[in-house]
Amino acid sequence: MKILVIGSGGRESTLVWKLSQSDSVTGIYCAPGNAGTACYGENVDIAEGEFDRLIEFAQEKNIDLTIVGPEQPLVDGIVDRFHSHHLPIFGPTRSAAALEGSKVFAKKLMSEYDVPTAAYDICESQSALEEITSEKPFPYVIKVDGLAAGKGALVVQNDDDLKQAIRDIYEDDKFGAAADTVIVEDFLEGEELSVFALTDGSNYVLLSPAQDHKRAFDNDEGPNTGGMGAYAPAPLGTPTVLQKVEERVIQPVLKGMKERGTPFVGVLYCGLMIHDGEPWVIEFNVRFGDPETQVVVSLIKSDLADLLLSIAKGQLEISGFELSDRYATCVILASEGYPGAYEKGKVITGIEQLFQSGKAQLFLAGTKFDGENYLTNGGRVMGVAVVSKSLNDAVLSVYQYVKVIEYEGKQYRADIGFRALNKTVRVQ
Ligand code: AMP
Ligand code: GLY
């Protein structure tokens, strides 16, 4: 089968790498791709938002399956467009993608189906927000309704944070139309966990529970980022916790989406807070996470191409699905200054050496190849990943390989997975 992957991050490098191992795959294209996707497939110079050109390409090349990485094209209806041309595509329709595209939609669905989530209010103006927050004890979280590239959740701890949030949303108009409606929700205590369900709308399989590290610096300090590293399976996702997530979150959401006539097909990414063993939903995403994909896809034993095609056809075969019994860790190497301003074009060394080592996996992201050198070309430059028999080994050995890569301004967290490591050590 011939596959087209849409996107250009480390997540897409991982998907293309995994798909390239499938016996049934005869060709992989990635639009627009990056230096990493070019290692296992062919990059196509079409942006993720150019639906007409993507459809034309899929028709011309007889693509059997298109897989969408990022959320924006999903929320903009790429799946509906492909369906109208009878082209198989993995991902939710525009209506189903509202689970990520509109926080208000997600909250209302959760209220209706008793899915545990923080209590919330909806505000449609600055004065409404000011009124609701005037009586509300700190801390709480203000979230813009629409997509905001992962920057739309503002944690408010004091008056200064509130003033800053109001300035960002209403005076500086940082979020545009995405902030026409905002929600104010209670702050949830606990530890975060990412759970991914691959679903055809009725049946689903779970990937290994993962933990991301959103803050830029060690010990969860500094600004929120797209994610600085991940590991899986996270011990926090015990079988009991996962069972609760299935019964209280995944099953009711799939039922609700079906009952609305907009079944959810694709990856349901549940961003959860686990508190005293109880799961609470922070948010839903309608796509694979980045950098969680680098670890959870590394731990899928089954053929990924066959799996995603069966889902796109609405016929997920659960019985053959298998996960590895190993552990994976991925550390993101970023550009100095990320998630703020950063320079590009720094020469990277060590890539060939790491590729040849055969021990660590390299998932290039904001990286380009100029014919001679690999150069930095984005905020998150690459992910270095290790799969091993124990979490301790995966976490500790990944840092041996992180050292092999060098470029000016290399920035990474030195504590990816350490929270779980401490726990593992404690329970032993
Ligand atoms: P989101 O964009 O909704 O994923 O939020 C980004 C980050 O903000 C999350 O990963 C959490 O770390 C934090 N966050 C969001 N909502 C809450 C909440 N209700 N309570 C505590 N932390 C939250
Ligand atoms: N790792 C966070 C995200 O993909 O949204």
Side-chain angles (χ1 to χ4, degrees):
M1 93 175 86
K2 286 205 253 176
I3 298 188
L4 169 63
V5 174
I6 295 174
S8 59
R11 165 182 51 205
E12 288 75 23
S13 282
T14 312
L15 292 170
V16 170
W17 162 76
K18 184 73 178 177
L19 292 162
S20 73
Q21 296 165 10
S22 167
D23 288 339
S24 51
V25 171
T26 52
I28 309 176
Y29 300 92
C30 190
N34 59 36
T37 58
C39 297
Y40 307 101
E42 191 180 317
N43 285 349
V44 185
D45 190 16
I46 307 178
E48 64 184 49
E50 293 184 277
F51 294 177
D52 290 338
R53 290 187 64 205
L54 290 168
I55 287 167
E56 224 171 86
F57 180 84
Q59 287 171 329
E60 223 170 74
K61 295 282 183 193
N62 290 317
I63 297 293
D64 299 289
L65 175 66
T66 296
I67 299 163
V68 188
E71 62 276 15
Q72 190 74 55
L74 293 167
V75 170
D76 291 343
I78 191 170
V79 168
D80 311 61
R81 291 287 311 280
F82 269 61
H83 283 170
S84 71
H85 288 84
H86 307 289
L87 292 165
I89 183 163
F90 175 84
T93 58
R94 181 206 287 262
S95 312
L99 271 177
E100 177 168 359
S102 165
K103 303 256 191 223
V104 172
F105 174 87
K107 280 291 197 185
K108 286 185 172 163
L109 185 88
M110 285 191 271
S111 303
E112 205 177 312
Y113 287 84
D114 288 327
V115 176
T117 188
Y120 69 102
D121 286 295
I122 299 175
C123 310
E124 284 176 342
S125 65
Q126 181 173 344
S127 56
L129 177 65
E130 282 169 349
E131 196 185 322
I132 280 165
T133 51
S134 66
E135 304 270 296
K136 199 169 173 70
F138 302 121
Y140 51 82
V141 186
I142 299 178
K143 293 183 177 181
V144 307
D145 179 46
L147 291 185
K151 299 192 174 84
L154 310 168
V155 177
V156 177
Q157 314 257 22
N158 50 44
D159 279 319
D160 284 347
D161 289 346
L162 176 59
K163 281 188 196 133
Q164 183 65 46
I166 289 175
R167 217 175 299 138
D168 286 352
I169 296 171
Y170 297 106
E171 286 154 35
D172 298 343
D173 198 21
K174 262 194 183 167
F175 303 102
D180 284 353
T181 303
V182 302
I183 60 174
V184 183
E185 71 176 27
D186 289 356
F187 187 85
L188 296 168
E189 303 280 352
E191 210 180 308
E192 287 182 52
L193 186 72
S194 304
V195 174
F196 299 88
L198 303 184
T199 176
D200 63 5
S202 303
N203 296 316
Y204 64 90
V205 291
L206 291 191
L207 302 187
S208 313
Q211 193 166 56
D212 187 10
H213 297 63
K214 293 230 165 166
R215 300 298 189 110
F217 309 125
D218 289 3
N219 300 316
D220 290 335
E221 284 173 16
N224 257 328
T225 69
M228 293 299 289
Y231 64 93
L236 182 64
T238 59
T240 314
V241 165
L242 292 183
Q243 193 183 340
K244 289 178 185 171
V245 174
E246 288 190 56
E247 289 171 0
R248 299 180 194 169
V249 180
I250 295 168
Q251 290 164 8
V253 166
L254 295 185
K255 179 168 179 269
M257 295 305 284
K258 230 174 161 180
E259 284 177 358
R260 282 166 187 242
T262 55
F264 184 91
V265 178
V267 188
L268 180 63
Y269 165 167
C270 308
L272 306 164
M273 194 68 91
I274 309 299
H275 184 63
D276 287 340
E278 301 297 320
W280 297 80
V281 175
I282 296 177
E283 64 162 354
F284 290 117
N285 294 314
V286 298
R287 48 161 177 90
F288 284 105
D290 190 344
E292 291 99 322
T293 301
Q294 287 81 324
V295 290
V296 297
V297 165
S298 294
L299 296 173
I300 297 176
K301 253 179 144 176
S302 313
D303 184 301
L304 186 65
D306 292 345
L307 180 67
L308 301 188
L309 182 64
S310 73
I311 289 173
K313 288 183 169 167
Q315 299 158 352
L316 169 61
E317 249 321 315
I318 293 177
S319 58
F321 179 72
E322 222 185 324
L323 290 176
S324 161
D325 59 1
R326 291 156 80 89
Y327 294 82
T329 306
C330 175
V331 176
I332 296 295
L333 309 189
S335 294
E336 188 175 8
Y338 173 78
Y342 54 83
E343 290 177 9
K344 294 182 182 177
K346 309 289 182 196
V347 174
I348 308 168
T349 58
I351 287 186
E352 306 285 359
Q353 202 182 326
L354 248 190
F355 267 132
Q356 281 156 17
S357 80
K359 300 258 171 54
Q361 191 58 45
L362 203 49
F363 298 118
L364 302 183
T367 307
K368 76 173 185 192
F369 186 64
D370 69 358
E372 197 180 336
N373 290 307
Y374 283 98
L375 304 171
T376 64
N377 194 41
R380 291 192 290 178
V381 176
M382 67 182 80
V384 181
V386 165
V387 175
S388 193
K389 59 186 183 314
S390 75
L391 191 55
N392 288 29
D393 192 56
V395 169
L396 296 178
S397 70
V398 74
Y399 284 103
Q400 304 297 319
Y401 301 104
V402 163
K403 284 192 223 148
V404 176
I405 302 288
E406 290 297 349
Y407 55 87
E408 191 190 320
K410 181 174 93 171
Q411 176 183 312
Y412 65 92
R413 278 185 59 160
D415 64 346
I416 300 302
F418 277 72
R419 203 185 277 129
L421 216 62
N422 292 339
K423 246 185 233 147
T424 315
V425 170
R426 225 178 22 235
V427 294
Q428 273 168 353

